Amino acid sequence: MFLLATALAAEGSALGVDYVPSGRADLVWVDEARTSGTLVGELDGLVRPSLTPYLVLHGARVSTVLGLGFGRTSEISWTGEERRKVVNAGIRPAVDLHHYLLEDRASAWVGAGVYGVIPIVRDVSSAYGEAEQEAAREASREVMARIGGVGGRLGAGAEVELSPGLTVGLRFHANAWRGQRISEDSVSISTLMWADAGLRLQVDLPQRGPQ
């Protein structure tokens, strides 16, 4: 309902891309085997790559920024008459609010946002009996816990209009992420905080004229 109301009240919209280059921390994270092991977790790289698109819904002084990431891996194997399919996927929605310090939208802003990864995991086989299917469901729940999580961020940035409808900007985010791992007899919750900076390129979309 919030997004629908925002879209109806928007004074304009824009499409943009956000670029954050990979750094030494990404290499260390992989080298230390801290990824989810599925390729589709928040810190694995598929659902949050270096170059990400976003949609902006402009208000008078506050703009809503919507992002969506997606990653999916699928493996199908045959052994005799058995066919097994394992799917791991993550959907990463994100919503940010940017408050512009001046009435001109090509100016400095401060903002806050939330994001998360929705896990989708399937493990099906033609040879699974009831016990094997229950074990597969339990293993899938553990994988879903590694993929899923929620986060938030505070940010600031500035934009400069290169030409009518085209802006370039720089932004800074202080991020926090909460993930978890579960097993048969334990649950471990992990939090991570970090800061990053990125470059943005944004193009205003044509506005519909009066009917």
Side-chain angles (χ1 to χ4, degrees), residues 117 119-121 137 139-149 180:
V117 176
I120 302 173
V121 177
R137 281 194 291 265
S140 295
R141 283 192 289 268
E142 296 179 10
V143 176
M144 290 177 66
R146 296 204 309 270
I147 296 173
Q180 64 181 1

Side-chain angles (χ1 to χ4, degrees), residues 43-168:
L43 301 168
D44 294 346
L46 283 185
V47 298
R48 186 173 61 89
S50 294
L51 190 66
T52 57
Y54 60 88
L55 171 67
V56 184
L57 302 176
H58 290 302
R61 293 284 289 272
V62 177
S63 292
T64 302
V65 183
L66 307 176
L68 184 65
F70 176 73
R72 182 182 186 271
T73 64
S74 176
E75 181 178 344
I76 302 176
S77 59
W78 287 268
T79 304
E81 297 182 355
E82 177 187 355
R83 180 182 183 272
R84 184 188 180 198
K85 182 177 183 179
V86 179
V87 175
N88 296 322
I91 302 173
R92 185 187 187 273
V95 180
D96 290 82
L97 295 179
H98 291 176
H99 175 73
Y100 286 86
L101 304 182
L102 302 175
E103 291 187 5
D104 185 359
R105 286 196 288 264
S107 64
W109 55 265
V110 295
V114 295
Y115 57 94
V117 176
I118 302 169
I120 302 173
V121 177
R122 294 184 60 202
D123 182 354
V124 295
S125 171
S126 58
Y128 283 170
E130 184 175 339
E132 290 85 358
Q133 189 61 59
E134 179 59 32
R137 281 194 291 265
E138 181 63 32
S140 295
R141 283 192 289 268
E142 296 179 10
V143 176
M144 290 177 66
R146 296 204 309 270
I147 296 173
V150 294
R153 58 193 173 206
L154 300 175
E159 298 169 0
V160 176
E161 191 172 47
L162 296 180
S163 62
L166 177 65
T167 60
V168 64

Side-chain angles (χ1 to χ4, degrees), residues 187-205:
V187 176
S188 61
I189 296 175
S190 61
T191 58
L192 178 66
M193 302 181 70
W194 75 98
D196 60 25
L199 296 173
R200 290 191 162 189
L201 182 67
Q202 190 170 294
V203 179
D204 288 345
L205 297 177

Side-chain angles (χ1 to χ4, degrees), residues 10-63:
E11 298 182 355
S13 58
L15 283 177
V17 289
D18 184 288
Y19 175 67
V20 180
S22 299
R24 186 173 63 180
D26 299 288
L27 300 178
V28 172
W29 191 262
V30 173
D31 188 60
E32 295 293 327
R34 298 296 300 274
T35 62
S36 72
T38 66
L39 299 179
V40 296
E42 167 69 12
L43 301 168
D44 294 346
L46 283 185
V47 298
R48 186 173 61 89
S50 294
L51 190 66
T52 57
Y54 60 88
L55 171 67
V56 184
L57 302 176
H58 290 302
R61 293 284 289 272
V62 177
S63 292

